[in-house]
PDB file of all heavy atoms in Angstrom:
ATOM      1  N   GLY A  77      -8.431  -1.093   5.191  1.00  0.00           N
ATOM      2  CA  GLY A  77      -9.221   0.068   5.077  1.00  0.00           C
ATOM      3  C   GLY A  77      -8.430   1.342   5.245  1.00  0.00           C
ATOM      4  O   GLY A  77      -8.534   2.350   4.472  1.00  0.00           O
ATOM      5  N   HIS A  78      -7.587   1.399   6.242  1.00  0.00           N
ATOM      6  CA  HIS A  78      -6.763   2.651   6.517  1.00  0.00           C
ATOM      7  C   HIS A  78      -5.698   2.757   5.360  1.00  0.00           C
ATOM      8  O   HIS A  78      -5.458   3.951   5.030  1.00  0.00           O
ATOM      9  CB  HIS A  78      -5.993   2.545   7.888  1.00  0.00           C
ATOM     10  CG  HIS A  78      -6.938   2.831   9.032  1.00  0.00           C
ATOM     11  ND1 HIS A  78      -7.857   2.018   9.494  1.00  0.00           N
ATOM     12  CD2 HIS A  78      -7.002   3.966   9.805  1.00  0.00           C
ATOM     13  CE1 HIS A  78      -8.522   2.599  10.595  1.00  0.00           C
ATOM     14  NE2 HIS A  78      -8.008   3.794  10.723  1.00  0.00           N
ATOM     15  N   MET A  79      -5.202   1.747   4.884  1.00  0.00           N
ATOM     16  CA  MET A  79      -4.232   1.857   3.771  1.00  0.00           C
ATOM     17  C   MET A  79      -4.908   2.443   2.513  1.00  0.00           C
ATOM     18  O   MET A  79      -4.302   3.228   1.801  1.00  0.00           O
ATOM     19  CB  MET A  79      -3.576   0.457   3.497  1.00  0.00           C
ATOM     20  CG  MET A  79      -2.693  -0.030   4.627  1.00  0.00           C
ATOM     21  SD  MET A  79      -1.143   0.814   4.820  1.00  0.00           S
ATOM     22  CE  MET A  79      -0.165   0.008   3.661  1.00  0.00           C
ATOM     23  N   ILE A  80      -6.124   1.974   2.277  1.00  0.00           N
ATOM     24  CA  ILE A  80      -6.814   2.483   1.087  1.00  0.00           C
ATOM     25  C   ILE A  80      -7.143   3.973   1.274  1.00  0.00           C
ATOM     26  O   ILE A  80      -6.964   4.795   0.372  1.00  0.00           O
ATOM     27  CB  ILE A  80      -8.182   1.700   0.895  1.00  0.00           C
ATOM     28  CG1 ILE A  80      -7.881   0.234   0.455  1.00  0.00           C
ATOM     29  CG2 ILE A  80      -9.064   2.394  -0.096  1.00  0.00           C
ATOM     30  CD1 ILE A  80      -9.099  -0.623   0.371  1.00  0.00           C
ATOM     31  N   LEU A  81      -7.532   4.349   2.483  1.00  0.00           N
ATOM     32  CA  LEU A  81      -7.811   5.754   2.753  1.00  0.00           C
ATOM     33  C   LEU A  81      -6.532   6.582   2.727  1.00  0.00           C
ATOM     34  O   LEU A  81      -6.599   7.721   2.191  1.00  0.00           O
ATOM     35  CB  LEU A  81      -8.514   5.874   4.138  1.00  0.00           C
ATOM     36  CG  LEU A  81      -9.857   5.193   4.255  1.00  0.00           C
ATOM     37  CD1 LEU A  81     -10.369   5.257   5.651  1.00  0.00           C
ATOM     38  CD2 LEU A  81     -10.895   5.775   3.309  1.00  0.00           C
ATOM     39  N   LEU A  82      -5.466   6.094   3.236  1.00  0.00           N
ATOM     40  CA  LEU A  82      -4.216   6.809   3.200  1.00  0.00           C
ATOM     41  C   LEU A  82      -3.748   7.018   1.791  1.00  0.00           C
ATOM     42  O   LEU A  82      -3.254   8.103   1.424  1.00  0.00           O
ATOM     43  CB  LEU A  82      -3.142   6.017   3.975  1.00  0.00           C
ATOM     44  CG  LEU A  82      -1.728   6.681   4.045  1.00  0.00           C
ATOM     45  CD1 LEU A  82      -1.827   8.027   4.743  1.00  0.00           C
ATOM     46  CD2 LEU A  82      -0.756   5.728   4.817  1.00  0.00           C
ATOM     47  N   ASP A  83      -3.997   6.000   0.923  1.00  0.00           N
ATOM     48  CA  ASP A  83      -3.581   6.149  -0.491  1.00  0.00           C
ATOM     49  C   ASP A  83      -4.413   7.238  -1.203  1.00  0.00           C
ATOM     50  O   ASP A  83      -3.962   7.797  -2.207  1.00  0.00           O
ATOM     51  CB  ASP A  83      -3.865   4.797  -1.237  1.00  0.00           C
ATOM     52  CG  ASP A  83      -3.419   4.860  -2.680  1.00  0.00           C
ATOM     53  OD1 ASP A  83      -2.320   5.250  -2.888  1.00  0.00           O
ATOM     54  OD2 ASP A  83      -4.281   4.557  -3.523  1.00  0.00           O
ATOM     55  N   GLU A  84      -5.612   7.531  -0.698  1.00  0.00           N
ATOM     56  CA  GLU A  84      -6.400   8.602  -1.167  1.00  0.00           C
ATOM     57  C   GLU A  84      -5.766   9.936  -0.931  1.00  0.00           C
ATOM     58  O   GLU A  84      -5.916  11.017  -1.672  1.00  0.00           O
ATOM     59  CB  GLU A  84      -7.840   8.574  -0.664  1.00  0.00           C
ATOM     60  CG  GLU A  84      -8.671   7.359  -1.041  1.00  0.00           C
ATOM     61  CD  GLU A  84      -9.229   7.488  -2.447  1.00  0.00           C
ATOM     62  OE1 GLU A  84      -9.147   8.589  -3.058  1.00  0.00           O
ATOM     63  OE2 GLU A  84      -9.846   6.526  -2.973  1.00  0.00           O
ATOM     64  N   ILE A  85      -5.062  10.010   0.174  1.00  0.00           N
ATOM     65  CA  ILE A  85      -4.492  11.316   0.660  1.00  0.00           C
ATOM     66  C   ILE A  85      -2.982  11.482   0.233  1.00  0.00           C
ATOM     67  O   ILE A  85      -2.591  12.472  -0.210  1.00  0.00           O
ATOM     68  CB  ILE A  85      -4.630  11.377   2.137  1.00  0.00           C
ATOM     69  CG1 ILE A  85      -6.097  11.275   2.571  1.00  0.00           C
ATOM     70  CG2 ILE A  85      -4.015  12.710   2.694  1.00  0.00           C
ATOM     71  CD1 ILE A  85      -6.294  11.069   4.061  1.00  0.00           C
ATOM     72  N   VAL A  86      -2.281  10.345   0.497  1.00  0.00           N
ATOM     73  CA  VAL A  86      -0.812  10.380   0.186  1.00  0.00           C
ATOM     74  C   VAL A  86      -0.491   9.259  -0.884  1.00  0.00           C
ATOM     75  O   VAL A  86      -0.436   8.122  -0.503  1.00  0.00           O
ATOM     76  CB  VAL A  86       0.039  10.055   1.462  1.00  0.00           C
ATOM     77  CG1 VAL A  86       1.526  10.129   1.170  1.00  0.00           C
ATOM     78  CG2 VAL A  86      -0.349  11.032   2.556  1.00  0.00           C
ATOM     79  N   LYS A  87      -0.318   9.720  -2.080  1.00  0.00           N
ATOM     80  CA  LYS A  87      -0.094   8.794  -3.192  1.00  0.00           C
ATOM     81  C   LYS A  87       1.413   8.486  -3.299  1.00  0.00           C
ATOM     82  O   LYS A  87       2.250   9.347  -3.389  1.00  0.00           O
ATOM     83  CB  LYS A  87      -0.549   9.417  -4.456  1.00  0.00           C
ATOM     84  CG  LYS A  87      -2.077   9.472  -4.583  1.00  0.00           C
ATOM     85  CD  LYS A  87      -2.698   8.158  -4.973  1.00  0.00           C
ATOM     86  CE  LYS A  87      -4.214   8.357  -5.245  1.00  0.00           C
ATOM     87  NZ  LYS A  87      -4.817   7.026  -5.603  1.00  0.00           N
ATOM     88  N   LEU A  88       1.742   7.205  -3.282  1.00  0.00           N
ATOM     89  CA  LEU A  88       3.019   6.742  -3.627  1.00  0.00           C
ATOM     90  C   LEU A  88       3.271   6.860  -5.112  1.00  0.00           C
ATOM     91  O   LEU A  88       2.350   6.459  -5.925  1.00  0.00           O
ATOM     92  CB  LEU A  88       3.297   5.306  -3.199  1.00  0.00           C
ATOM     93  CG  LEU A  88       3.619   5.023  -1.690  1.00  0.00           C
ATOM     94  CD1 LEU A  88       3.533   3.514  -1.417  1.00  0.00           C
ATOM     95  CD2 LEU A  88       4.944   5.582  -1.307  1.00  0.00           C
ATOM     96  N   ASP A  89       4.407   7.357  -5.542  1.00  0.00           N
ATOM     97  CA  ASP A  89       4.697   7.538  -6.939  1.00  0.00           C
ATOM     98  C   ASP A  89       5.224   6.176  -7.536  1.00  0.00           C
ATOM     99  O   ASP A  89       6.342   5.998  -7.836  1.00  0.00           O
ATOM    100  CB  ASP A  89       5.746   8.649  -7.174  1.00  0.00           C
ATOM    101  CG  ASP A  89       6.014   8.960  -8.592  1.00  0.00           C
ATOM    102  OD1 ASP A  89       5.095   8.561  -9.465  1.00  0.00           O
ATOM    103  OD2 ASP A  89       7.012   9.596  -8.963  1.00  0.00           O
ATOM    104  N   VAL A  90       4.206   5.207  -7.572  1.00  0.00           N
ATOM    105  CA  VAL A  90       4.546   3.877  -8.059  1.00  0.00           C
ATOM    106  C   VAL A  90       3.474   3.417  -9.012  1.00  0.00           C
ATOM    107  O   VAL A  90       2.386   4.062  -9.116  1.00  0.00           O
ATOM    108  CB  VAL A  90       4.697   2.904  -6.899  1.00  0.00           C
ATOM    109  CG1 VAL A  90       5.941   3.226  -6.067  1.00  0.00           C
ATOM    110  CG2 VAL A  90       3.477   2.888  -6.053  1.00  0.00           C
ATOM    111  N   SER A  91       3.654   2.367  -9.658  1.00  0.00           N
ATOM    112  CA  SER A  91       2.638   1.769 -10.578  1.00  0.00           C
ATOM    113  C   SER A  91       1.474   1.156  -9.750  1.00  0.00           C
ATOM    114  O   SER A  91       1.697   0.850  -8.619  1.00  0.00           O
ATOM    115  CB  SER A  91       3.189   0.749 -11.466  1.00  0.00           C
ATOM    116  OG  SER A  91       3.597  -0.419 -10.701  1.00  0.00           O
ATOM    117  N   GLU A  92       0.345   1.025 -10.387  1.00  0.00           N
ATOM    118  CA  GLU A  92      -0.839   0.422  -9.694  1.00  0.00           C
ATOM    119  C   GLU A  92      -0.522  -1.047  -9.277  1.00  0.00           C
ATOM    120  O   GLU A  92      -0.919  -1.531  -8.181  1.00  0.00           O
ATOM    121  CB  GLU A  92      -2.106   0.512 -10.555  1.00  0.00           C
ATOM    122  CG  GLU A  92      -2.655   1.856 -10.764  1.00  0.00           C
ATOM    123  CD  GLU A  92      -3.915   1.854 -11.551  1.00  0.00           C
ATOM    124  OE1 GLU A  92      -4.539   0.708 -11.689  1.00  0.00           O
ATOM    125  OE2 GLU A  92      -4.425   2.939 -11.937  1.00  0.00           O
ATOM    126  N   GLU A  93       0.195  -1.739 -10.178  1.00  0.00           N
ATOM    127  CA  GLU A  93       0.583  -3.125  -9.892  1.00  0.00           C
ATOM    128  C   GLU A  93       1.456  -3.180  -8.651  1.00  0.00           C
ATOM    129  O   GLU A  93       1.262  -4.089  -7.802  1.00  0.00           O
ATOM    130  CB  GLU A  93       1.254  -3.688 -11.086  1.00  0.00           C
ATOM    131  CG  GLU A  93       0.407  -3.891 -12.354  1.00  0.00           C
ATOM    132  CD  GLU A  93       0.191  -2.548 -13.133  1.00  0.00           C
ATOM    133  OE1 GLU A  93       0.981  -1.593 -12.787  1.00  0.00           O
ATOM    134  OE2 GLU A  93      -0.681  -2.536 -13.981  1.00  0.00           O
ATOM    135  N   PHE A  94       2.474  -2.302  -8.549  1.00  0.00           N
ATOM    136  CA  PHE A  94       3.348  -2.363  -7.366  1.00  0.00           C
ATOM    137  C   PHE A  94       2.545  -2.030  -6.089  1.00  0.00           C
ATOM    138  O   PHE A  94       2.809  -2.647  -5.094  1.00  0.00           O
ATOM    139  CB  PHE A  94       4.491  -1.357  -7.566  1.00  0.00           C
ATOM    140  CG  PHE A  94       5.405  -1.297  -6.327  1.00  0.00           C
ATOM    141  CD1 PHE A  94       6.434  -2.283  -6.110  1.00  0.00           C
ATOM    142  CD2 PHE A  94       5.202  -0.308  -5.397  1.00  0.00           C
ATOM    143  CE1 PHE A  94       7.145  -2.214  -4.949  1.00  0.00           C
ATOM    144  CE2 PHE A  94       5.982  -0.237  -4.255  1.00  0.00           C
ATOM    145  CZ  PHE A  94       6.926  -1.218  -4.057  1.00  0.00           C
ATOM    146  N   TYR A  95       1.760  -1.051  -6.143  1.00  0.00           N
ATOM    147  CA  TYR A  95       0.963  -0.591  -4.958  1.00  0.00           C
ATOM    148  C   TYR A  95       0.076  -1.645  -4.478  1.00  0.00           C
ATOM    149  O   TYR A  95      -0.025  -1.906  -3.287  1.00  0.00           O
ATOM    150  CB  TYR A  95       0.200   0.728  -5.165  1.00  0.00           C
ATOM    151  CG  TYR A  95      -0.506   1.089  -3.854  1.00  0.00           C
ATOM    152  CD1 TYR A  95       0.233   1.658  -2.812  1.00  0.00           C
ATOM    153  CD2 TYR A  95      -1.864   0.871  -3.735  1.00  0.00           C
ATOM    154  CE1 TYR A  95      -0.359   1.964  -1.611  1.00  0.00           C
ATOM    155  CE2 TYR A  95      -2.495   1.201  -2.538  1.00  0.00           C
ATOM    156  CZ  TYR A  95      -1.714   1.780  -1.489  1.00  0.00           C
ATOM    157  OH  TYR A  95      -2.322   2.071  -0.296  1.00  0.00           O
ATOM    158  N   SER A  96      -0.562  -2.388  -5.409  1.00  0.00           N
ATOM    159  CA  SER A  96      -1.468  -3.506  -5.099  1.00  0.00           C
ATOM    160  C   SER A  96      -0.684  -4.562  -4.315  1.00  0.00           C
ATOM    161  O   SER A  96      -1.158  -5.172  -3.333  1.00  0.00           O
ATOM    162  CB  SER A  96      -2.061  -4.110  -6.353  1.00  0.00           C
ATOM    163  OG  SER A  96      -2.878  -5.205  -5.997  1.00  0.00           O
ATOM    164  N   MET A  97       0.550  -4.873  -4.693  1.00  0.00           N
ATOM    165  CA  MET A  97       1.441  -5.781  -4.014  1.00  0.00           C
ATOM    166  C   MET A  97       1.935  -5.182  -2.721  1.00  0.00           C
ATOM    167  O   MET A  97       1.928  -5.874  -1.677  1.00  0.00           O
ATOM    168  CB  MET A  97       2.584  -6.145  -4.981  1.00  0.00           C
ATOM    169  CG  MET A  97       3.561  -7.149  -4.375  1.00  0.00           C
ATOM    170  SD  MET A  97       4.912  -6.419  -3.352  1.00  0.00           S
ATOM    171  CE  MET A  97       5.698  -5.367  -4.655  1.00  0.00           C
ATOM    172  N   PHE A  98       2.327  -3.941  -2.730  1.00  0.00           N
ATOM    173  CA  PHE A  98       2.928  -3.308  -1.587  1.00  0.00           C
ATOM    174  C   PHE A  98       2.028  -3.274  -0.360  1.00  0.00           C
ATOM    175  O   PHE A  98       2.401  -3.564   0.748  1.00  0.00           O
ATOM    176  CB  PHE A  98       3.269  -1.882  -1.938  1.00  0.00           C
ATOM    177  CG  PHE A  98       3.733  -0.989  -0.786  1.00  0.00           C
ATOM    178  CD1 PHE A  98       5.013  -1.058  -0.248  1.00  0.00           C
ATOM    179  CD2 PHE A  98       2.795  -0.049  -0.210  1.00  0.00           C
ATOM    180  CE1 PHE A  98       5.375  -0.291   0.906  1.00  0.00           C
ATOM    181  CE2 PHE A  98       3.164   0.760   0.828  1.00  0.00           C
ATOM    182  CZ  PHE A  98       4.477   0.592   1.409  1.00  0.00           C
ATOM    183  N   GLN A  99       0.733  -2.958  -0.588  1.00  0.00           N
ATOM    184  CA  GLN A  99      -0.165  -2.850   0.554  1.00  0.00           C
ATOM    185  C   GLN A  99      -0.495  -4.187   1.272  1.00  0.00           C
ATOM    186  O   GLN A  99      -0.975  -4.254   2.391  1.00  0.00           O
ATOM    187  CB  GLN A  99      -1.470  -2.133   0.170  1.00  0.00           C
ATOM    188  CG  GLN A  99      -2.393  -3.020  -0.797  1.00  0.00           C
ATOM    189  CD  GLN A  99      -3.679  -2.306  -1.150  1.00  0.00           C
ATOM    190  OE1 GLN A  99      -4.134  -1.365  -0.483  1.00  0.00           O
ATOM    191  NE2 GLN A  99      -4.360  -2.777  -2.187  1.00  0.00           N
ATOM    192  N   VAL A 100      -0.122  -5.258   0.614  1.00  0.00           N
ATOM    193  CA  VAL A 100      -0.276  -6.593   1.174  1.00  0.00           C
ATOM    194  C   VAL A 100       1.076  -7.073   1.795  1.00  0.00           C
ATOM    195  O   VAL A 100       1.115  -7.520   2.909  1.00  0.00           O
ATOM    196  CB  VAL A 100      -0.779  -7.641   0.168  1.00  0.00           C
ATOM    197  CG1 VAL A 100      -0.789  -9.062   0.751  1.00  0.00           C
ATOM    198  CG2 VAL A 100      -2.131  -7.265  -0.318  1.00  0.00           C
ATOM    199  N   VAL A 101       2.123  -6.963   0.987  1.00  0.00           N
ATOM    200  CA  VAL A 101       3.453  -7.478   1.409  1.00  0.00           C
ATOM    201  C   VAL A 101       4.045  -6.673   2.544  1.00  0.00           C
ATOM    202  O   VAL A 101       4.814  -7.228   3.397  1.00  0.00           O
ATOM    203  CB  VAL A 101       4.403  -7.572   0.213  1.00  0.00           C
ATOM    204  CG1 VAL A 101       5.731  -8.051   0.643  1.00  0.00           C
ATOM    205  CG2 VAL A 101       3.872  -8.460  -0.904  1.00  0.00           C
ATOM    206  N   ILE A 102       3.657  -5.446   2.743  1.00  0.00           N
ATOM    207  CA  ILE A 102       4.161  -4.654   3.846  1.00  0.00           C
ATOM    208  C   ILE A 102       3.747  -5.308   5.207  1.00  0.00           C
ATOM    209  O   ILE A 102       4.395  -5.113   6.252  1.00  0.00           O
ATOM    210  CB  ILE A 102       3.633  -3.164   3.768  1.00  0.00           C
ATOM    211  CG1 ILE A 102       4.350  -2.301   4.776  1.00  0.00           C
ATOM    212  CG2 ILE A 102       2.140  -3.171   3.988  1.00  0.00           C
ATOM    213  CD1 ILE A 102       3.853  -0.863   4.735  1.00  0.00           C
ATOM    214  N   GLN A 103       2.685  -6.148   5.135  1.00  0.00           N
ATOM    215  CA  GLN A 103       2.223  -6.846   6.364  1.00  0.00           C
ATOM    216  C   GLN A 103       3.264  -7.844   6.898  1.00  0.00           C
ATOM    217  O   GLN A 103       3.143  -8.213   8.031  1.00  0.00           O
ATOM    218  CB  GLN A 103       0.898  -7.565   6.034  1.00  0.00           C
ATOM    219  CG  GLN A 103      -0.247  -6.560   5.693  1.00  0.00           C
ATOM    220  CD  GLN A 103      -1.484  -7.305   5.187  1.00  0.00           C
ATOM    221  OE1 GLN A 103      -1.444  -8.485   4.892  1.00  0.00           O
ATOM    222  NE2 GLN A 103      -2.630  -6.641   5.210  1.00  0.00           N
ATOM    223  N   LEU A 104       4.176  -8.289   6.035  1.00  0.00           N
ATOM    224  CA  LEU A 104       5.161  -9.229   6.514  1.00  0.00           C
ATOM    225  C   LEU A 104       5.993  -8.611   7.640  1.00  0.00           C
ATOM    226  O   LEU A 104       6.354  -9.380   8.579  1.00  0.00           O
ATOM    227  CB  LEU A 104       6.106  -9.557   5.350  1.00  0.00           C
ATOM    228  CG  LEU A 104       5.577 -10.522   4.344  1.00  0.00           C
ATOM    229  CD1 LEU A 104       6.620 -10.765   3.220  1.00  0.00           C
ATOM    230  CD2 LEU A 104       5.180 -11.827   4.962  1.00  0.00           C
ATOM    231  N   GLY A 105       6.219  -7.302   7.652  1.00  0.00           N
ATOM    232  CA  GLY A 105       6.915  -6.686   8.764  1.00  0.00           C
ATOM    233  C   GLY A 105       6.110  -6.837  10.045  1.00  0.00           C
ATOM    234  O   GLY A 105       6.703  -7.107  11.159  1.00  0.00           O
ATOM    235  N   ALA A 106       4.825  -6.601   9.964  1.00  0.00           N
ATOM    236  CA  ALA A 106       3.951  -6.729  11.146  1.00  0.00           C
ATOM    237  C   ALA A 106       3.947  -8.156  11.652  1.00  0.00           C
ATOM    238  O   ALA A 106       3.967  -8.417  12.829  1.00  0.00           O
ATOM    239  CB  ALA A 106       2.570  -6.228  10.774  1.00  0.00           C
ATOM    240  N   ILE A 107       3.915  -9.130  10.731  1.00  0.00           N
ATOM    241  CA  ILE A 107       3.914 -10.556  11.073  1.00  0.00           C
ATOM    242  C   ILE A 107       5.145 -10.955  11.814  1.00  0.00           C
ATOM    243  O   ILE A 107       5.135 -11.735  12.775  1.00  0.00           O
ATOM    244  CB  ILE A 107       3.647 -11.401   9.813  1.00  0.00           C
ATOM    245  CG1 ILE A 107       2.219 -11.460   9.526  1.00  0.00           C
ATOM    246  CG2 ILE A 107       4.186 -12.741  10.032  1.00  0.00           C
ATOM    247  CD1 ILE A 107       1.403 -12.020  10.699  1.00  0.00           C
ATOM    248  N   LEU A 108       6.288 -10.477  11.434  1.00  0.00           N
ATOM    249  CA  LEU A 108       7.509 -10.784  12.083  1.00  0.00           C
ATOM    250  C   LEU A 108       7.542 -10.388  13.540  1.00  0.00           C
ATOM    251  O   LEU A 108       8.167 -11.004  14.365  1.00  0.00           O
ATOM    252  CB  LEU A 108       8.723 -10.185  11.311  1.00  0.00           C
ATOM    253  CG  LEU A 108       9.045 -10.786   9.951  1.00  0.00           C
ATOM    254  CD1 LEU A 108      10.154  -9.997   9.225  1.00  0.00           C
ATOM    255  CD2 LEU A 108       9.394 -12.281  10.050  1.00  0.00           C
TER     256      LEU A 108
END
C-alpha cells in the first residue's frame, strides 16, 4: 500500500513492467 502511494508521489523513470517487478523483488532485501 505504501509503495503504491509513494509511486503516486515519486515516480521512478522506468517502464510499467519493470516497476511492477521492482515493487515485489525489492522485498528480497527485507527478507535477507
